[in-house]
């Protein structure tokens, strides 16, 4: 399909193309901030800068309020679970609806709903009438809005920038979120200490004015129009069948699922390292998270500059991520462990951005909402499964064993998937030198000349 200034999506890459050197359609070397030249995306990006800071502030304020109301860490966990539960229950159906609905109008609705939730919590808290069940209801309401908002926001990026800038825009979205992760909790801490949690909720509610204004100011004629899926029966089954027939999508989603389930359990690992291993307290836990956010931000910006989304980058990033976790598990000192958080964050973000953009670029626009809903459900749904497993390993064998096991699973699955795809594409591993640098590449088995050049 084509629309606007170019094709709306890249053609489905073959296994040969995703692992070997063939370029992805529409993928070209770009500057780090090239997608910001697109007016509609620039409006979207600026709105998200403000909104993401508010989101991080509400996360901190919400947990602090529940802890203050109940004195129970379990209640905090229930709040988090309620916010993720709708995505696990209804995520795929949300993808079906997103494929049918206009993305811009859908986002206007979901962002407004989340704004009202924040303002309602602010009113209840500032008036002194808030109870824990109010927070539970608000968390579940935000989760319901996310069922539509997440796939709509993910897929709307391609409508704003087109296929040529998709990787760059997805990377900048991640950089945006990680930047807010550095600012939002710090601002929330100051605000909660100074004036109370209610004002943090109010800031979050009002912060949605920025993305709503950005959506309203966009020029419809500049959007890359897509053909929406017509209303019909069996569309959820159709989406699952579509993914089942695409090995490149299946293996990408499987890899992300394993990494997110077993490798991304940092709340369990980092708190245990700070408290049980280094006996350093909450300050070190905050330091670990900050350095990981810095690494994640760097990884997102490097992905924005790379301008391509290849399976070999995804596999290599996951192997490096798992390996760095194993190395960190053996770190003898607090400062060495803390420094390793930056590369772990960078490689983790490489996996996230590369997988996200490659899935979007190789999916038919009419199926993109359903595919991205499945992708996000697997990515976000890993935490409720992986966290208890990580906690059990940590309690039984120690946190060093837990972190090493998570890294080993991530690296092993990445290597296995890389070898499976190489075999399917009749490729082999070539190790050599390219332009004076070490080169590790998959090349066609029948083309020995490529290996000699590499």
């Amino acid at each position: 399909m084509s629309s606007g200034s170019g094709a709306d999506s890249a053609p489905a890459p073959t296994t040969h193309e995703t692992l070997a050197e063939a370029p992805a359609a529409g993928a070209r070397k770009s500057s780090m901030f090239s997608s910001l030249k697109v007016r509609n995306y620039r409006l979207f990006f600026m709105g998200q800068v403000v909104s993401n800071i508010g989101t991080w502030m509400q996360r901190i304020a919400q947990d602090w309020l529940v802890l203050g109301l109940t004195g129970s860490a379990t209640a905090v966990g229930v709040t988090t679970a309620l916010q993720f539960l709708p995505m696990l229950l209804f995520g795929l159906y949300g993808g079906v609806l997103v494929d049918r609905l206009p993305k811009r109008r859908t986002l206007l609705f979901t962002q407004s709903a989340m704004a009202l939730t924040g303002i309602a919590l602010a009113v209840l808290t500032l008036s002194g009438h808030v109870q824990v069940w109010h927070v539970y209801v608000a968390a579940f309401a935000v989760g319901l809005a996310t069922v539509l908002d997440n796939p709509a926001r993910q897929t709307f990026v391609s409508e704003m920038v087109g296929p040529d800038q998709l990787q760059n825009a997805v990377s900048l979205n991640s950089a945006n979120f990680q930047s807010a992760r550095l600012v939002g909790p710090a601002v929330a801490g100051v605000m909660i200490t100074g004036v109370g949690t209610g004002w943090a909720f109010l800031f979050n509610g009002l912060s949605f004015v920025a993305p709503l204004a950005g959506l309203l100011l966009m020029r419809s004629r500049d959007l890359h129009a897509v053909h929406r899926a017509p209303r019909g029966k069996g569309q959820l089954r159709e989406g699952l069948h579509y993914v089942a027939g695409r090995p490149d999508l299946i293996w990408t989603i499987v890899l992300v699922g394993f990494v997110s389930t077993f490798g991304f359990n940092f709340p369990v690992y980092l708190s245990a390292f700070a408290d049980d291993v280094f006996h350093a307290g909450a300050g070190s836990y905050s330091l670990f998270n900050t350095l990981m956010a810095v690494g994640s931000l760097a990884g997102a910006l490097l992905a924005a500059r790379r301008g391509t989304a290849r399976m070999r980058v995804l596999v290599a990033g996951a192997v490096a991520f798992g390996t760095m976790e194993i190395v960190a598990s053996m770190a003898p000192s607090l400062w060495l462990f803390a420094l390793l958080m930056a590369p772990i964050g960078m490689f983790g973000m490489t996996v996230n951005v590369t997988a996200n953009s490659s899935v979007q670029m190789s999916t038919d626009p009419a199926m993109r909402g359903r595919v991205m809903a499945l992708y996000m459900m697997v990515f976000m749904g890993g935490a409720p499964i992986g966290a208890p497993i990580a906690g059990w390993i940590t309690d039984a064998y120690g946190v060093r064993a837990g972190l090493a096991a998570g890294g080993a699973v991530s690296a092993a699955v990445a290597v296995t998937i890389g070898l499976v795809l190489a075999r399917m594409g009749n490729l082999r591993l070539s190790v050599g030198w390219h332009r004076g640098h070490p080169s590790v590449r998959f090349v066609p088995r029948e083309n020995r000349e490529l290996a000699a050049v590499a």
Side-chain angles (χ1 to χ4, degrees):
M1 300 179 186
S2 63
S3 58
S5 59
D8 188 73
S9 67
T14 63
T15 304
H16 182 289
E17 289 172 329
T18 52
L19 279 177
E21 289 298 316
R28 64 190 183 197
K29 194 74 173 179
S30 60
S31 66
M32 188 174 289
F33 303 102
S34 58
S35 57
L36 289 176
K37 297 176 183 177
V38 180
R39 179 182 181 275
N40 282 345
Y41 179 71
R42 190 164 61 248
L43 290 168
F44 176 84
F45 183 88
M46 290 188 296
Q48 290 299 307
V49 168
V50 180
S51 180
N52 283 336
I53 292 174
T55 297
W56 279 106
M57 290 177 66
Q58 173 140 332
R59 286 189 182 187
I60 301 300
Q62 179 176 274
D63 292 348
W64 192 259
L65 176 61
V66 171
L67 193 61
L69 290 172
T70 65
S72 169
T74 301
V76 177
V78 170
T79 307
T80 302
L82 286 170
Q83 194 158 326
F84 283 102
L85 185 62
M87 179 62 74
L88 294 176
L89 294 177
F90 312 118
L92 292 177
Y93 295 98
V96 172
L97 290 175
V98 165
D99 279 337
R100 295 176 183 171
L101 300 171
K103 311 296 187 298
R104 187 179 174 193
R105 293 180 186 174
T106 301
L107 288 172
L108 286 169
F109 170 76
T110 57
Q111 298 278 295
S112 298
M114 288 189 279
L116 291 174
T117 302
I119 292 172
L121 268 180
V123 171
L124 287 168
T125 306
L126 292 172
S127 65
H129 293 98
V130 69
Q131 299 179 37
V132 69
W133 71 267
H134 293 143
V135 186
Y136 288 165
V137 171
F140 190 75
V142 170
L144 284 175
T146 303
V147 168
L148 287 177
D149 185 81
N150 217 316
R153 192 158 30 85
Q154 297 283 339
T155 56
F156 188 54
V157 173
S158 64
E159 293 188 25
M160 288 185 285
V161 302
D164 289 353
Q165 298 292 345
L166 181 57
Q167 161 90 6
N168 182 266
V170 170
S171 303
L172 289 183
N173 283 349
S174 298
N176 188 330
F177 190 73
Q178 294 303 322
S179 299
R181 181 181 175 185
L182 294 173
V183 177
V187 176
V190 173
M191 186 172 288
I192 291 170
T193 303
V195 294
T197 55
W199 294 100
F201 293 135
L202 182 61
F203 181 93
N204 178 56
L206 296 178
S207 73
F208 284 96
V209 171
L212 288 170
L215 289 167
L216 292 171
L217 290 171
M218 287 181 184
R219 296 171 181 161
S220 299
R221 65 178 181 275
D222 292 341
L223 295 174
H224 294 249
V226 297
H227 295 287
R228 298 198 300 272
R231 184 181 181 87
K233 295 182 179 180
Q235 289 182 322
L236 176 57
R237 184 171 59 252
E238 181 186 13
L240 295 174
H241 186 265
Y242 176 83
V243 174
R246 294 285 303 280
D248 57 314
L249 296 179
I250 291 175
W251 290 116
T252 298
I253 293 173
V254 167
L255 177 55
V256 167
F258 271 95
V259 172
S260 65
T261 300
F262 296 99
F264 281 6
N265 295 299
F266 297 114
V268 176
Y269 298 139
L270 299 189
S271 59
F273 265 96
D275 190 34
D276 301 334
V277 176
F278 300 121
H279 308 289
S284 294
Y285 178 58
S286 176
L287 175 65
F288 298 157
N289 280 281
T290 299
L291 290 174
M292 184 172 292
V294 170
S296 299
L297 176 59
L301 292 175
L302 288 173
R305 185 178 181 183
R306 191 180 304 120
T308 58
R310 302 173 190 261
M311 180 63 77
R312 64 185 177 87
V313 175
L314 174 61
V315 171
V319 172
F321 171 79
T323 302
M324 292 305 300
E325 284 199 329
I326 295 172
V327 172
S329 72
M330 299 181 286
S333 68
L334 183 150
W335 287 107
L336 179 58
F337 181 83
L339 290 174
L340 288 170
M341 292 301 100
I344 287 175
M346 182 179 71
F347 289 123
M349 184 55 62
T350 298
V351 173
N352 188 2
V353 170
T354 305
N356 186 308
S357 53
S358 65
V359 167
Q360 289 205 54
M361 289 175 68
S362 59
T363 299
D364 188 312
M367 291 286 183
R368 197 170 282 153
R370 280 164 281 184
V371 174
M372 287 308 298
L374 175 62
Y375 172 87
M376 293 307 300
M377 191 174 72
V378 170
F379 180 75
M380 297 172 65
I385 299 172
I389 296 175
W392 175 78
I393 295 175
T394 297
D395 289 340
Y397 303 101
V399 65
R400 291 188 183 274
L403 182 59
V409 170
S410 299
V413 171
V415 169
T416 302
I417 289 176
L419 293 176
V420 167
L421 290 174
R423 184 176 181 85
M424 290 172 59
N426 195 30
L427 304 173
R428 64 184 181 83
L429 188 67
S430 171
V431 180
W433 290 83
H434 181 64
R435 296 180 180 177
H437 299 285
S439 174
V440 180
R441 303 160 59 190
F442 285 99
V443 299
R445 290 182 182 276
E446 67 276 11
N447 196 342
R448 302 288 176 176
E449 290 79 9
L450 282 177
V453 172

